[in-house]
Amino acid sequence: MDYQQSLDYLYGLQRFGIKLGLSNIQTLLTRLGHPERTMRIVHVAGTNGKGSVSVATALMLQSAGLRTGLYTSPHLHSFTERIRIDGRAIPEPDMVALVDLVRAVVGTLPVTFFEFTTAMALLHFHRERVDFAVLEVGMGGRLDATNAVMPEVSVITPVCMDHAEHLGPDLAAVAGEKAGIIKPQVPVVIGPQQPEAKRVLLARAEQSNAPVCLWNRDYRIVEHPPCFDFHHADLFVENLRPGLEGGHQRQNLAVALAVATVLRDHGLPLPVKALRDGVENVRWPGRLEWWRGDTDVLLDGAHNQGGALALARYLEDLGLGKVRWVAGIKAPRNPDELLAPLLPHTLRLYATVPPVAPSVEPDKLVQIARRAGVPAAVHESSAEAVAAALADCEKGEVVLVAGSLFLVGEVRDFLMNMERTR
């Protein structure tokens, strides 16, 4: 198969849908000779921030001279972004070879897209002899394909309501699924949490006899923008200038620093310079990313209520005034919950659909916006929506693109094409 045929095969596995459970991935990894057992692993779950924590943690390990794999999802532009070693995406020929290798052992096993790609990532990391792999959970935790590994450290970033149809109807249920990555006697770093979620996570850690490194108890930050200081009983790092925008990202970077602290306490030689490098040089496109031009565009992958609240706080902190918002939301998310925090900051809503099915009907977004007194209109494509928002902008106004990471990726393509054709 060539690269496109390999992609077609992988996306064809989506016919099996989302199927939570560990049986398939455990069988697959057994048939592949358990590649996951040849590396040390940091396993990252949570609702918001797990990608940022994962990429920062991986950069800290890499900066310390450790060959480091990173597995995240979804991607913005190319599937290869999901599987990286030392910051470099897997080359297309290697990706094709991996598809063939894993496919050869699948047989009649009805593996899902995510199960297959998780096996690919672990096999690639094994073949490339990484020292560490940082794995981001796809959904939930307890029954996620990545939970077939035994990590050095487990990590749980902020938990909020998302994927209720799979993870449960309330915050305690969702937190219970996230807590499923906590392993007996394996340290767990817990990020900022709502009280209900924190109770569930701490109870699971106690049941598992897992040492806990808890936000605002065992580690914290002191902010003096644009910098912050990291405080832990075993580590103090001052005047960190984060490479990611937003107060919530400073908290995410503190979680990554706490992971590094736990690893240092267990004998891993991670110099402070490597930790500083992970904080200050980290980049994570599509997350509070500014696209500067004649009109500034702010791209953010906020796709649930927690993400929308963090984005709203960022806009408030900047004191920008109201933005022109290009919005598209993947179904079955609740559009009311996502729109509510941001509509007070919106001058006009440009409703469209992200390049993924199913999606929330743009008409629904327009109705919600108009009920809140915000002018809104439907646009057939993200390109049309962005073009309209840019055309409407007056001097000093900003275009916001948010609601789906898939939408952000498509708009980034549009903006890059605009730059190339100037």
Side-chain angles (χ1 to χ4, degrees):
M1 291 191 294
D2 61 19
Y3 179 67
Q4 187 56 53
Q5 288 170 327
S6 296
L7 282 181
D8 291 343
Y9 170 75
L10 287 174
Y11 291 128
L13 295 176
Q14 291 177 336
R15 69 185 182 276
F16 294 116
I18 295 172
K19 186 169 53 181
L20 297 177
L22 300 181
S23 176
N24 280 351
I25 187 65
Q26 288 169 340
T27 300
L28 200 51
L29 292 175
T30 298
R31 292 176 182 178
L32 290 169
H34 287 292
E36 78 283 3
R37 295 179 182 174
T38 64
M39 66 201 78
R40 301 167 78 177
I41 291 172
V42 175
H43 193 199
V44 185
T47 306
N48 292 323
K50 58 184 186 288
S52 301
V53 169
S54 296
V55 71
T57 300
L59 183 54
M60 292 175 191
L61 294 166
Q62 176 191 335
S63 298
L66 297 162
R67 189 161 171 78
T68 304
L70 175 64
Y71 177 53
T72 60
S73 61
H75 59 267
L76 279 178
H77 302 292
S78 168
F79 172 87
T80 60
E81 298 167 21
R82 294 171 179 247
I83 303 172
R84 309 183 194 204
I85 294 178
D86 290 345
R88 294 184 294 275
I90 182 173
E92 290 183 4
D94 290 359
M95 177 267 194
V96 171
L98 282 169
V99 171
D100 289 339
L101 284 169
V102 177
R103 190 176 183 182
V105 304
V106 165
T108 59
L109 200 65
V111 296
T112 65
F113 171 85
F114 192 73
E115 289 167 341
F116 195 104
T117 58
T118 299
M120 282 177 59
L122 292 167
L123 183 58
H124 182 57
F125 297 155
H126 163 69
R127 288 162 60 89
E128 293 296 320
R129 298 183 179 181
V130 303
D131 301 303
F132 261 92
V134 180
L135 306 182
E136 178 192 0
V137 167
M139 182 189 299
R142 181 176 65 93
L143 299 175
D144 186 81
T146 60
N147 205 28
V149 305
M150 181 56 70
E152 192 101 351
V153 183
S154 302
V155 189
I156 303 178
T157 67
V159 175
C160 69
M161 289 302 301
D162 201 9
H163 299 295
E165 71 279 13
H166 296 290
L167 304 182
D170 54 43
L171 191 61
V174 174
E177 292 298 316
K178 308 290 183 183
I181 73 162
I182 297 174
K183 303 292 196 304
Q185 299 181 336
V186 173
V188 56
V189 174
I190 299 178
Q193 304 293 342
Q194 298 177 54
E196 187 177 4
K198 183 164 73 173
R199 282 194 295 271
V200 172
L201 298 176
L202 290 176
R204 181 64 58 87
E206 184 177 7
Q207 292 166 9
S208 303
N209 196 24
V212 173
C213 184
L214 180 65
W215 166 260
N216 264 350
R217 186 192 71 182
D218 303 305
Y219 69 100
R220 61 186 177 90
I221 61 174
V222 175
E223 301 189 54
H224 42 97
C227 297
F228 72 91
D229 303 332
F230 175 78
H231 292 258
H232 182 282
D234 298 324
L235 181 67
F236 170 66
V237 188
E238 62 182 338
N239 292 324
L240 291 157
R241 185 180 291 266
L244 301 176
E245 296 268 349
H248 63 292
Q249 292 289 20
R250 290 191 284 275
Q251 294 179 355
N252 290 333
L253 294 172
V255 174
L257 286 165
V259 174
T261 302
V262 171
L263 292 172
R264 282 164 55 99
D265 288 347
H266 283 74
L268 189 68
L270 291 176
V272 170
K273 183 180 183 301
L275 308 192
R276 186 178 292 278
D277 184 55
V279 169
E280 298 187 346
N281 294 322
V282 65
R283 300 293 183 269
W284 199 222
R287 287 78 171 178
L288 290 183
E289 177 187 14
W290 283 97
W291 201 279
R292 303 294 185 178
D294 296 335
T295 298
D296 289 340
V297 180
L298 176 60
L299 303 158
D300 191 63
H303 58 274
N304 54 40
Q305 187 180 42
L309 287 166
L311 176 54
R313 285 193 294 270
Y314 177 69
L315 295 175
E316 288 170 5
D317 290 344
L318 287 183
L320 277 177
K322 294 190 175 182
V323 298
R324 296 185 179 274
W325 180 12
V326 175
I329 300 174
K330 183 181 177 182
R333 289 191 168 90
N334 185 330
D336 291 278
E337 292 181 349
L338 204 158
L339 266 62
L342 291 167
L343 285 177
H345 304 277
T346 303
L347 183 65
R348 183 177 180 86
L349 185 80
Y350 301 77
T352 187
V353 292
V356 61
S359 59
V360 176
E361 287 295 328
D363 284 333
K364 176 72 170 174
L365 307 184
V366 168
Q367 292 168 14
I368 296 169
R370 288 178 177 169
R371 284 201 303 268
V374 176
V378 171
H379 298 270
E380 291 187 3
S381 68
S382 63
E384 180 187 306
V386 173
L390 291 170
D392 289 345
C393 273
E394 298 181 2
K395 185 176 177 60
E397 290 183 348
V398 168
V399 173
L400 169 68
V401 180
S404 162
L405 202 56
F406 298 97
L407 176 71
V408 167
E410 189 171 64
V411 171
R412 281 182 108 253
D413 282 332
F414 173 80
L415 294 172
M416 286 188 286
N417 287 334
M418 277 183 60
E419 287 187 349
R420 283 194 290 263
T421 56
R422 280 180 179 174

